[in-house]
């Protein structure tokens, strides 16, 4: 079977590469400039089956491993970071459902999510905070067979285009520690649940990031993930580990795109009578960029393969996310240095890579949070050894 | 279907071995399925779609050697039903006639069929001979450069791409049809199709299995010399009394060289 997975992975990556080169790259600049949702591209991804990559086969997905998923994300991001947006947080709800949902919830939601009919988002961050999940303010008060939800969520990818959301809300506001009062729900758009206006972002444009407003929104008790209150924090943290690997993979993809452009440009641009690729200053930059990208890629694949083998991987996911996102910002800037003035002009995609890069530093837990996670894990291991 | 060197490889990366009369592709570049053959696969899938997906079985046949499995399974990932590979070192460098003879025997060994779809030509040599010879050997009509194929009560109606338009041809079945890129972009494989394809094992046939003789694979063409032509660039500035006259002079000069 190993051979089959390898063979399937090769074919899948070849298909995604072709899609990226033929359809994504030519369309990205205009969508980025106009901040318009790439409906045709997203529909094409749904048709290919990319919404169901990690959803188990018995629920209509492909049941592929996280390593393949990370490689697909890397490849898509090489074309355009934003195109990963509709699938990213979608997969986080899918992960939470597949691992923590009741059988009935899996049967009810996962097949539609695998085809892309249900498009999901993650309703976690709030105006008051993102990384500090435990202190979230949104509440869900039980009323018979329903919960009544009130509160606001902010920076929600797929907020407008998505139709179901992984909603985290407090069902108990008095319990200590606070995170034990958080429950996870599957929230469908409906009366009392609306998306606010699209946020105008520096990068990661074209994909909708909005506020979500819950105003006496009623959600059934059968939408409580796992059928148990107080588990939302754990369900989210577990799924977000995979999210960090995805962010790392995206960073590798964007950095690779910038490097590819820089390398190609250095082989055609002449200055002082020779190609700039012949100059040591440029060569040093190219060497450093390529080395950083490869290191980030290996960290990412290592974290993904830890996940696939069933080990804890929060340390590895944190390291991959931290390193890949930092070098992505460095590489996109260095690629601009190689290009000189022309790299600063909007006619080339380089300035987009440069604007997209900071998302990976800030999103899915800021890099400062990653450092805390990494350090805590290291200290915990050291203490355990005595 | 033919496995070919990736046509996106820059020509300068290929090496011509003049002593062996061979083109050597750069090492380490994976082959691809010939692009027109993917158009032919798309044509087959469109016929299957038009028939409601039932009662149509698509068999992909390739003859050659050193097949790369994740490459040649591509048509299966797109939705074809079966893959038959005739794999033998003797098939590495066949000419069009020998290829057509092996293909004809392979096709006949598969049992009855309605239509044989081929890419209009292969991107390695761009000859486009195999389908024509194949139709002769099978004894069926050949319709080339199809951009649209519809099954009718009496056979098929095919739109053939021409340089200045298109021609509509009715033909009985069975027939050999060569497909051109004007048919439209081949569909992407789906992930589900890829997973299903990886679980399928192609039928691999030897030359003995289909009764191919030494005579069948003998060359009918002799390649006398293979070389990179030397090209020379000349520049000639065409002048004139004014821009209109310069244009006129240019047209005359181009006509003299039989370029227009």
């Amino acid at each position: 079977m190993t051979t089959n997975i390898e063979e399937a992975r090769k074919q899948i990556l070849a298909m995604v590469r072709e899609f990226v080169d033929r359809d994504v790259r030519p369309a990205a600049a205009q969508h980025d400039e106009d901040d318009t949702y790439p409906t045709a591209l997203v529909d094409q991804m749904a048709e290919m089956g990319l919404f169901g990559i990690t959803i188990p086969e018995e629920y209509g997905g492909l049941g592929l491993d996280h390593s393949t998923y990370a490689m697909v994300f890397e490849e898509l991001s090489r074309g355009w970071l934003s195109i990963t947006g509709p699938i990213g947080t979608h997969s986080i709800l899918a992960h939470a459902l597949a691992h923590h949902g009741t059988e009935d919830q899996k049967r009810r939601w996962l097949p539609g999510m695998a085809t892309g009919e249900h498009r999901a988002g993650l309703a976690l961050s709030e105006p008051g905070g993102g990384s500090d999940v435990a202190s979230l303010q949104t509440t869900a008060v039980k009323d018979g067979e329903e919960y009544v939800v009130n509160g606001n969520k902010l920076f929600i990818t797929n907020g407008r285009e998505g139709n179901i959301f992984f909603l985290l809300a407090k069902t108990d506001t008095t319990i200590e520690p606070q995170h034990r009062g958080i429950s996870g729900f599957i929230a469908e758009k409906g009366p009392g649940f609306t998306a606010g206006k699209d946020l105008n972002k520096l990068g990661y444009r074209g994909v909708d990031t909005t506020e979500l407003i819950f105003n006496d929104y009623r959600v059934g008790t059968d939408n409580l993930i796992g059928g148990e209150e107080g588990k939302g924090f754990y369900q989210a943290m577990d799924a977000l580990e995979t999210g960090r690997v995805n962010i790392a993979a995206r960073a590798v993809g964007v950095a690779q795109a910038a490097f590819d452009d820089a390398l190609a440009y250095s082989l055609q641009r002449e200055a002082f009578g020779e190609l700039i690729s012949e100059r040591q200053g440029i060569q040093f930059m190219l060497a450093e960029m390529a080395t950083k990208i490869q290191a980030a890629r290996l960290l990412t694949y290592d974290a993904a393969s830890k996940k696939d083998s069933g080990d804890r991987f929060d340390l590895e996911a944190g390291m991959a996310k931290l390193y890949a996102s930092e070098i992505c910002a460095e590489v996109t800037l260095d690629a601009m240095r190689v290009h000189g003035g022309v790299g600063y002009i909007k006619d080339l995609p380089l300035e987009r890579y440069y604007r997209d890069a900071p998302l990976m530093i800030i999103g899915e837990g800021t890099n400062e949070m990653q450092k805390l996670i990494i350090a805590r894990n290291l200290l915990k291991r050291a203490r355990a050894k005595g | 279907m033919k496995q070919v060197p990736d046509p996106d490889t820059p020509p300068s990366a290929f090496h011509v071995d003049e002593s062996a009369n061979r083109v050597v592709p750069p090492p380490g570049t994976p082959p691809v399925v010939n692009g027109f053959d993917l158009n032919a696969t798309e044509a087959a899938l469109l016929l299957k779609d038009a028939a409601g997906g039932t009662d149509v079985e698509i068999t992909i046949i390739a003859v050659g050697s050193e097949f790369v499995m994740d490459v040649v399974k591509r048509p299966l990932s797109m939705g074809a039903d079966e893959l038959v590979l005739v794999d033998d070192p003797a098939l590495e460098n066949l000419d069009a006639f020998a290829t057509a003879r092996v293909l004809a025997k392979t096709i006949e060994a598969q049992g009855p069929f309605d239509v044989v779809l081929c890419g209009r030509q292969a991107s390695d040599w761009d000859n486009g001979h195999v389908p024509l010879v194949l139709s002769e050997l099978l004894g069926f009509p050949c319709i080339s450069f199809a951009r649209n194929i519809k099954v009718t009560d009496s056979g098929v109606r095919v739109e053939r791409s021409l340089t200045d338009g298109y021609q509509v041809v009715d033909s009985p079945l069975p027939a050999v049809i060569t497909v051109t890129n004007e048919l439209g972009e081949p569909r992407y494989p789906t992930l589900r199709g890829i997973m299903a394809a990886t679980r399928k094992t192609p039928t691999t046939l030897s030359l003995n299995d289909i009764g191919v003789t030494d005579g069948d694979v003998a060359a009918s063409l002799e390649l006398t010399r293979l070389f990179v032509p030397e090209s020379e660039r000349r520049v000639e500035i065409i002048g004139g009394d004014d821009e209109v006259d310069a244009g006129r002079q240019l047209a005359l000069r181009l006509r003299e060289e039989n370029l227009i």
Side-chain angles (χ1 to χ4, degrees):
Chain A
M1 282 309 281
T2 316
T3 336
N4 277 355
I5 289 171
E6 287 296 317
E7 190 186 302
R9 185 185 285 168
K10 270 191 188 172
Q11 275 211 51
I12 289 166
L13 292 174
M15 173 194 78
V16 174
R17 193 170 302 125
E18 206 173 302
F19 169 63
V20 162
D21 289 334
R22 195 207 287 176
D23 295 332
V24 177
R25 291 179 68 88
Q30 200 61 51
H31 281 300
D32 175 80
E33 176 75 20
D34 302 341
D35 204 9
T36 47
Y37 191 76
T39 307
L41 295 175
V42 177
D43 288 350
Q44 179 69 61
M45 293 199 298
E47 203 168 294
M48 289 171 168
L50 292 177
F51 279 84
I53 296 187
T54 55
I55 293 175
E57 282 189 283
E58 55 192 304
Y59 302 108
L62 276 304
L64 284 164
D65 57 12
H66 283 79
S67 300
T68 308
Y69 183 52
M71 291 171 193
V72 167
F73 254 53
E74 176 187 336
E75 191 53 49
L76 288 172
S77 304
R78 187 181 61 81
W80 183 28
L81 173 68
S82 302
I83 205 68
T84 58
I87 307 179
T89 48
H90 176 91
S91 302
I92 289 177
L93 173 56
H95 185 278
L97 268 176
H99 288 82
H100 306 291
T102 64
E103 189 56 32
D104 174 58
Q105 287 169 341
K106 292 179 197 177
R107 301 223 165 273
R108 195 165 144 211
W109 300 106
L110 288 178
M113 291 182 73
T115 59
E117 179 200 342
H118 295 313
R119 294 193 185 162
L122 172 62
L124 188 156
S125 296
E126 298 191 353
S131 295
D132 185 9
V133 181
S135 66
L136 63 83
Q137 302 291 313
T138 301
T139 56
V141 179
K142 199 166 182 187
D143 179 22
E145 288 303 299
E146 292 177 322
Y147 288 87
V148 181
V149 181
N150 280 289
N152 286 358
K153 299 286 179 179
L154 196 60
F155 305 128
I156 310 303
T157 305
N158 303 329
R160 176 170 36 78
E161 294 286 333
N163 42 30
I164 63 171
F165 290 83
F166 182 6
L167 167 66
L168 289 175
K170 278 193 177 152
T171 44
D172 186 341
T173 53
T174 57
I175 198 168
E176 285 293 335
Q178 288 186 72
H179 65 260
R180 291 206 180 143
I182 298 172
S183 299
F185 296 91
I186 305 144
E188 282 182 278
K189 287 239 182 87
F193 173 9
T194 50
K197 72 181 175 67
D198 283 23
L199 302 173
N200 187 9
K201 305 182 291 283
L202 169 71
Y204 200 40
R205 292 167 66 77
V207 61
D208 45 323
T209 305
T210 72
E211 187 179 13
L212 294 180
I213 301 144
F214 297 90
N215 186 9
D216 286 338
Y217 168 69
R218 303 183 83 87
V219 58
T221 50
D222 52 353
N223 284 28
L224 176 66
I225 296 176
E228 206 180 335
E229 288 185 9
K231 298 290 180 196
F233 181 79
Y234 305 101
Q235 294 161 355
M237 287 303 116
D238 181 24
L240 283 172
E241 279 181 357
T242 64
R244 289 202 287 276
V245 179
N246 298 342
I247 288 281
R250 292 186 205 191
V252 173
V254 172
Q256 184 68 49
F259 173 75
D260 290 345
D261 287 1
L263 183 65
Y265 186 74
S266 75
L267 286 164
Q268 68 178 57
R269 166 73 176 177
E270 283 185 23
F272 304 103
E274 64 178 2
L275 288 171
I276 61 169
S277 58
E278 298 300 315
R279 304 203 153 255
Q280 214 172 45
I282 299 292
Q283 289 178 351
F284 280 9
M285 272 201 275
L286 292 173
E288 284 179 15
M289 289 158 84
T291 307
K292 286 175 182 173
I293 293 169
Q294 184 66 358
R297 178 178 289 124
L298 295 178
L299 278 174
T300 306
Y301 291 178
D302 176 58
S305 74
K306 283 260 176 7
K307 166 75 181 168
D308 288 330
S309 60
D311 296 340
R312 284 303 305 269
F313 70 117
D314 43 359
L315 176 69
E316 290 77 8
M319 285 177 165
K321 194 273 189 190
L322 168 66
Y323 185 73
S325 59
E326 292 293 342
I327 68 102
C328 179
E330 292 165 18
V331 166
T332 53
L333 180 57
D334 282 345
M336 209 176 277
R337 292 180 211 267
V338 172
H339 278 75
V342 72
Y344 195 64
I345 305 297
K346 275 183 174 269
D347 291 351
L348 293 187
L350 199 56
E351 61 83 33
R352 186 178 82 238
Y353 307 146
Y354 178 76
R355 285 185 287 105
D356 282 347
L359 172 84
M360 275 80 76
I361 291 176
I362 291 164
E364 214 83 41
T366 63
N367 277 3
E368 288 62 42
M369 288 304 301
Q370 303 306 321
K371 288 179 193 173
L372 285 180
I373 292 168
I374 293 165
R376 281 175 190 160
N377 271 284
L378 294 172
L379 294 170
K380 195 162 72 182
R381 286 184 192 186
R383 288 190 192 109
K385 277 186 186 165
Chain B
M1 173 189 70
K2 187 173 189 181
Q3 176 180 297
V4 294
D6 190 341
D8 286 339
T9 312
S12 57
F14 287 88
H15 166 68
V16 175
D17 181 350
E18 292 194 25
S19 60
N21 268 349
R22 287 195 56 175
V23 176
V24 185
T29 48
V32 297
V33 174
N34 175 40
F36 290 120
D37 296 347
L38 292 178
N39 293 119
T41 306
E42 178 64 27
L45 291 165
L46 288 173
L47 289 175
K48 185 166 183 164
D49 292 346
T54 53
D55 289 341
V56 176
E57 193 171 321
I58 303 170
T59 303
I60 305 292
I61 297 175
V63 305
S65 64
E66 294 183 19
F67 289 113
V68 178
M69 216 36 79
D70 59 83
V71 171
V72 292
K73 279 190 174 179
R74 168 85 184 239
L76 289 181
S77 307
M78 291 165 69
D81 300 290
E82 209 191 328
L83 174 64
V84 176
L85 301 174
V86 186
D87 190 348
D88 195 295
L91 300 176
E92 195 185 343
N93 272 316
L94 293 191
D95 67 23
F97 296 91
T99 305
R101 283 192 287 266
V102 178
L103 273 176
K105 290 205 166 167
T106 315
I107 291 167
E108 280 163 352
Q110 304 305 310
F113 60 89
D114 296 304
V115 63
V116 177
L117 295 157
C118 305
R120 57 178 276 182
Q121 65 205 58
S123 58
D124 48 2
W125 291 99
D126 279 317
N127 287 330
H129 294 161
V130 170
L132 308 172
V133 182
L134 180 62
S135 73
E136 279 297 312
L137 294 172
L138 293 172
F140 297 122
C142 184
I143 306 140
S144 54
F145 308 130
R147 60 169 224 180
N148 191 312
I149 307 166
K150 291 268 183 306
V151 174
T152 61
D153 291 341
S154 58
V156 278
R157 173 162 292 187
V158 178
E159 286 179 14
R160 298 183 63 231
S161 272
L162 305 176
T163 47
D164 55 352
Y166 68 94
Q167 181 183 43
V168 181
V169 177
D170 282 329
S171 165
L173 289 175
V176 176
I177 303 174
T178 83
V179 180
T180 180
N181 56 310
E182 280 100 329
L183 183 105
E185 290 275 6
R187 66 194 63 187
Y188 288 113
T190 64
L191 291 192
R192 189 166 300 283
I194 291 172
M195 298 304 284
T198 57
R199 287 169 190 149
K200 280 186 188 166
T201 310
T203 307
T204 306
L205 301 174
S206 70
L207 295 182
N208 274 338
D209 291 336
I210 47 171
V212 169
T213 62
D214 286 350
D216 289 330
V217 293
S220 310
L221 279 175
E222 190 191 346
L223 184 60
T224 50
R225 189 181 165 210
L226 188 66
F227 62 99
V228 181
E230 284 179 19
S231 62
E232 192 190 342
R233 285 185 196 179
R234 276 182 297 135
V235 177
E236 192 177 324
I237 308 289
I238 311 278
D241 299 336
D242 52 24
E243 287 166 1
V244 175
D245 187 46
R248 195 178 293 120
Q249 297 296 334
L250 174 63
L252 285 171
R253 189 72 188 85
L254 290 172
R255 173 63 62 84
E256 269 174 36
E257 294 287 340
N258 283 326
L259 292 170
I260 54 172

